[in-house]
Amino acid sequence: MNDPIWTCVRQRAGPLVKECRAIRPRLSPNDTPYERTEKNKILRPPKDSSVCRGRVDRLEIRLAMFGFKGSVYTLTFRDDTLPQKFQEVRRRWRSFLRKLYLWNPGWSRDYVYLIEGKHGDHRYHIHVVLRDQDFAPAEIRQLWKFGEVDDEPLLIGPFDTYRRTAKYFNKEATDGITIPISARTWVASRSLNAKVPPTEFFRSDSGKIQVPHNIRISGCNTVVNEFGRYHYTWWIEEPRR
């Protein structure tokens, strides 16, 4: 009897690697509700995977491109500069982005930004992720003239993940008022998008995923039933010395 062939997907981004291997069933119009439910447990497992279907998955990959040298800034507004509309906040962001270009013309152009205003005190504010080698926190504070600046590392401690920030950046949905329906909840720069490695697709006679020894943190998810198998593992490698 021949060994089953596994369909494999691997996504790399900076120190993050996400890989899944599966023996996938096929849906049929004749499936019973039970069969369709069980098959979808393999085809669409409930946890994240290397197949970046959702916005959290896609953002996680882009945040991982900052590696261990990224910072998350929160840009707030004073009462006298507080915008009343989303479009005004976006204009302030574009003005600030121009200042970044003028301050350091040779910077990487890598960033992710997010406009929020629905939680907490319901004041508009901006989150932005930047590379540490492009700008220091003191420079961001000097360039942001509209209010205060808070900063923290993208990864906080050895067991933190990029997914934590990706989930946080996706917590506010558009409502048509504070955040317009047409607005993207987060935006990654073209420069950053261009640096994301392509997804690897391949086939294997083994469902085992080889995890290296030099990792900071990892996780996995397995679904096995009578219709197929699904193995998923992710890990963040240790920084190179």
Side-chain angles (χ1 to χ4, degrees):
M1 184 175 179
N2 295 330
D3 292 331
I5 300 300
W6 295 74
T7 300
C8 310
V9 182
R10 183 187 296 133
Q11 178 67 64
R12 304 177 188 271
L16 174 66
V17 181
K18 305 173 63 157
E19 181 173 335
C20 66
R21 299 189 178 206
I23 300 174
R24 300 182 185 277
R26 291 189 177 183
L27 295 174
S28 168
N30 300 320
D31 286 339
T32 66
Y34 167 78
E35 290 171 333
R36 183 169 293 271
T37 298
E38 290 299 295
K39 287 181 178 181
N40 277 325
K41 290 179 181 178
I42 305 296
L43 296 172
R44 291 187 172 275
K47 295 185 179 180
D48 64 294
S49 77
S50 52
V51 183
C52 293
R53 295 190 181 98
R55 292 184 59 79
V56 172
D57 300 299
R58 296 197 296 273
L59 179 54
E60 177 188 26
I61 291 297
R62 282 150 182 79
L63 293 176
M65 295 303 296
F66 290 91
F68 303 102
K69 297 181 179 179
S71 291
V72 182
Y73 294 92
T74 300
L75 313 178
T76 62
F77 296 92
R78 299 187 306 273
D79 289 343
D80 62 313
T81 64
L82 181 64
Q84 299 303 308
K85 296 182 179 180
F86 180 88
Q87 291 78 6
E88 295 177 24
V89 188
R90 193 150 53 186
R91 283 195 291 270
R92 299 284 171 83
W93 159 253
R94 290 171 178 168
S95 172
F96 177 66
L97 189 59
R98 285 193 293 271
K99 290 182 179 180
L100 296 182
Y101 280 96
L102 292 172
W103 185 267
N104 181 8
W107 72 297
S108 68
R109 271 64 171 174
D110 295 345
Y111 63 82
V112 175
Y113 85 93
L114 165 73
I115 297 174
E116 289 188 319
K118 292 170 58 181
H119 68 281
D121 54 10
H122 304 285
R123 294 170 65 98
Y124 280 116
H125 57 280
I126 301 171
H127 297 292
V128 57
V129 182
L130 295 167
R131 292 192 183 278
D132 294 341
Q133 60 263 41
D134 288 333
F135 302 98
E139 294 175 298
I140 299 301
R141 287 185 171 85
Q142 180 172 343
L143 295 173
W144 181 252
K145 303 296 187 181
F146 303 109
E148 299 297 323
V149 176
D150 292 326
D151 68 279
E152 66 179 25
L154 178 56
L155 291 181
I156 303 174
F159 303 111
D160 196 11
T161 66
Y162 302 104
R163 196 167 186 83
R164 174 188 63 83
T165 300
K167 286 181 176 180
Y168 182 85
F169 273 31
N170 280 276
K171 70 180 184 299
E172 285 195 358
T174 59
D175 62 354
I177 302 173
T178 305
I179 308 295
I181 298 297
S182 60
R184 289 178 289 175
T185 52
W186 55 265
V187 178
S189 67
R190 292 182 181 179
S191 171
L192 185 64
N193 286 328
K195 292 171 183 172
V196 175
T199 305
E200 304 169 40
F201 298 93
F202 57 99
R203 317 250 311 166
S204 175
D205 58 4
S206 172
K208 185 177 181 179
I209 300 174
Q210 298 289 342
V211 180
H213 297 294
N214 59 328
I215 61 172
R216 291 163 62 93
I217 186 173
S218 65
C220 63
N221 180 33
T222 297
V223 181
V224 177
N225 59 32
E226 60 189 297
F227 300 103
R229 301 177 181 180
Y230 171 86
H231 298 317
Y232 166 63
T233 301
W234 64 268
W235 64 90
I236 296 177
E237 299 173 344
E238 287 283 6
R240 296 178 181 179
R241 302 299 181 185

